[in-house]
């Protein structure tokens, strides 16, 4: 079965950095675009970043643009989210997700597979 397993979440202070990893198995990873979403307490899940199957195109929400970087290693079936200059408002559960190539990557409903989520907490 398909599994997306995250690692790298935790508690950090404002201004710190974290790198999330998401290892995929059970699917042809290089045929899927990948995305990162997040959900803060009491809020809806929101788009964070996405990357095309080749890694040649990346997409970011305005709230993270310039601070977060998404990348992928198709040889390792892994997608990453490098988060710099973290702010308290970045506190959320972060999810990685896989969408078929060609999907509109800003919409969560276009993603077929989801990870369990990892908590990121940024203290002020």
């Amino acid at each position: 079965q398909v599994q997306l397993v995250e690692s790298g979440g935790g508690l950090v202070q404002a201004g710190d950095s974290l790198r999330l990893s998401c290892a995929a198995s059970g699917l042809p990873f290089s045929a899927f675009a990948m995305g990162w979403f997040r959900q803060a307490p009491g809020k809806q899940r929101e788009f964070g970043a996405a990357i095309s199957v080749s890694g040649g195109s990346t997409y970011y929400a305005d709230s993270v643009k310039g601070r977060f970087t998404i990348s992928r290693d198709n040889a390792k079936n892994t997608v990453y989210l490098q988060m710099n200059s973290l702010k308290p408002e970045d506190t959320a559960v972060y999810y990685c997700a896989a969408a078929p190539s060609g999907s509109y990557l800003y919409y969560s409903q276009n993603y077929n597979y989801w990870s369990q989520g990892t908590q990121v907490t940024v203290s002020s």
Side-chain angles (χ1 to χ4, degrees), residues 2-121:
V2 175
Q3 283 192 309
L4 301 177
V5 180
E6 298 182 64
S7 60
L11 172 64
V12 297
Q13 292 188 328
D16 285 351
S17 298
L18 272 179
R19 189 174 84 154
L20 303 182
S21 300
C22 174
S25 60
L27 79 169
F29 183 74
S30 60
F32 281 80
M34 299 297 295
W36 289 94
F37 288 76
R38 65 186 185 182
Q39 187 167 17
K43 295 187 177 181
Q44 289 189 332
R45 190 173 299 187
E46 65 176 12
F47 171 78
I51 189 166
S52 62
V53 296
S54 68
S57 298
T58 56
Y59 312 88
Y60 296 95
D62 287 344
S63 57
V64 307
K65 198 174 295 182
R67 299 187 299 122
F68 291 11
T69 302
I70 188 170
S71 61
R72 65 188 294 160
D73 185 337
N74 285 348
K76 295 182 178 180
N77 288 2
T78 301
V79 62
Y80 306 96
L81 186 68
Q82 177 67 43
M83 304 184 293
N84 298 331
S85 302
L86 283 161
K87 305 175 181 179
E89 51 264 44
D90 294 318
T91 295
V93 176
Y94 283 71
Y95 301 88
C96 67
S101 178
S103 301
Y104 185 69
L105 297 176
Y106 290 87
Y107 288 168
S108 61
Q109 54 263 47
N110 290 340
Y111 290 77
N112 299 99
Y113 305 106
W114 291 84
S115 67
Q116 293 285 81
T118 188
Q119 178 71 45
V120 172
T121 303

